[in-house]
Amino acid sequence: MRIWIAGHPLIAFFLLADAISWTLWGLAALGGGQVVFLLGGLGPFAAALIVTATRATAQTWLRSLLVWRVNPVYYTIALLLPVAIYAVINLVLVVLGEVPDLSRLDGLAPAYFGTFVMVATIGGGLEEPGWRGFALPELQRLRSPVSATLILGLAWGIWHVPLYGPLGFIVPLVLAFFYTWLYNRTGSVLVCLLFHGSFTPAQDYLTLVPDAAVVDVVILGTYVAAALALTLATRGRLGLPRAAPESQLPPRHSLPSLL
């Protein structure tokens, strides 16, 4: 098994991530409790650790998770891009004739910040060492940034299906393009973790129109349009330099251009 995992790292990672998380979530649903459910979210992290251990690269992978010296603009983007996206979403809804409920802004800050902290420390942000810290660089060694993102986004989305239902893979598949760009520009899993932490409360609290079919369509449409614009603006590179190193790993330092 160790030899097979070492020879098929990506397949092994995806299978292990699903097996670990889905098993723990199933146990939680059967009465295992919130702690077991939260542990299920660590499936991608655990899968990456197992795979890298079979290849004697676990220490290198773990060190890569500590990259934090990047251009401060990327921290700003990670924290504020979700807010900007939802500002556009609300503007589109107003143009379509929907009436925003500004009372939703009352007491927003504590709830928003609390959700951000929870996701970044014990929630979904801890998926990032697996998805972006391990799987994305592995995929980009073999494929173009767009192809790598589509494969990773689909795998990331399928991983969410037990939580969000049969169509739960769609939004992660689209959002993966933003994560790829951030990772390729910074080489930092931490920046991706912060982006994950900020996107969740934005989705939870920043839609100012009561939930309806039109809201869901506008949200998904805005995600797709923004991801497509990013892909076109970067000419399909999604932040990966043309003169990429042989390993296709992103740079470990800040870069002067945003695209």
Side-chain angles (χ1 to χ4, degrees):
M1 180 63 70
R2 181 186 181 94
I3 294 173
W4 185 87
I5 291 175
H8 305 81
L10 280 168
I11 296 175
F13 167 76
F14 292 137
L15 291 176
L16 284 168
D18 289 349
I20 294 169
S21 295
W22 294 359
T23 298
L24 289 171
W25 289 337
L27 292 174
L30 294 174
Q34 187 68 19
V35 173
V36 175
F37 176 81
L38 291 174
L39 288 174
L42 296 177
F45 186 103
L49 182 59
I50 292 169
V51 173
T52 55
T54 65
R55 306 165 74 196
T57 57
Q59 289 186 349
T60 301
W61 169 70
L62 289 170
R63 283 197 299 269
S64 75
L65 307 183
L66 303 178
V67 175
W68 62 273
R69 291 185 177 180
V70 302
N71 191 323
V73 71
Y74 294 107
Y75 284 105
T76 303
I77 291 171
L79 295 173
L80 297 183
L81 179 59
V83 177
I85 290 175
Y86 271 82
V88 172
I89 288 170
N90 283 295
L91 179 60
V92 172
L93 288 169
V94 169
V95 170
L96 293 177
E98 300 293 325
V99 179
D101 180 6
L102 297 182
S103 67
R104 294 188 175 212
L105 297 175
D106 295 339
L108 173 64
Y112 191 101
F113 181 72
T115 301
F116 168 80
V117 171
M118 184 188 72
V119 173
T121 56
I122 62 173
L126 298 184
E127 302 166 24
E128 294 309 316
W131 302 124
R132 257 56 65 170
F134 172 76
L136 181 59
E138 288 286 332
L139 281 164
Q140 288 189 139
R141 286 188 177 96
L142 307 170
R143 298 180 179 275
S144 70
V146 171
S147 295
T149 301
L150 287 171
I151 294 170
L152 179 56
L154 182 60
W156 186 32
I158 291 172
W159 181 80
H160 280 88
V161 165
L163 300 178
Y164 303 136
L167 298 180
F169 71 91
I170 296 176
V171 168
L173 173 59
V174 178
L175 296 185
F177 284 82
F178 302 108
Y179 286 89
T180 293
W181 178 78
L182 277 172
Y183 185 77
N184 282 343
R185 297 314 296 166
T186 64
S188 174
V189 174
L190 175 59
V191 172
C192 294
L193 185 153
L194 293 175
F195 185 62
H196 201 135
S198 60
F199 218 107
T200 298
Q203 291 184 122
D204 289 348
Y205 302 115
L206 294 187
T207 304
L208 302 181
V209 172
D211 192 26
V214 65
V215 175
D216 295 336
V217 170
V218 169
I219 289 174
L220 181 58
T222 303
Y223 288 173
V224 171
L228 180 60
L230 178 62
T231 303
L232 293 174
T234 60
R235 299 182 181 180
R237 299 298 295 173
L238 294 175
L240 192 69
R242 287 286 176 185
E246 183 178 306
S247 66
Q248 287 282 294
L249 288 173
R252 297 302 185 188
H253 53 77
S254 59
L255 294 167
S257 169
L258 290 184
L259 298 177

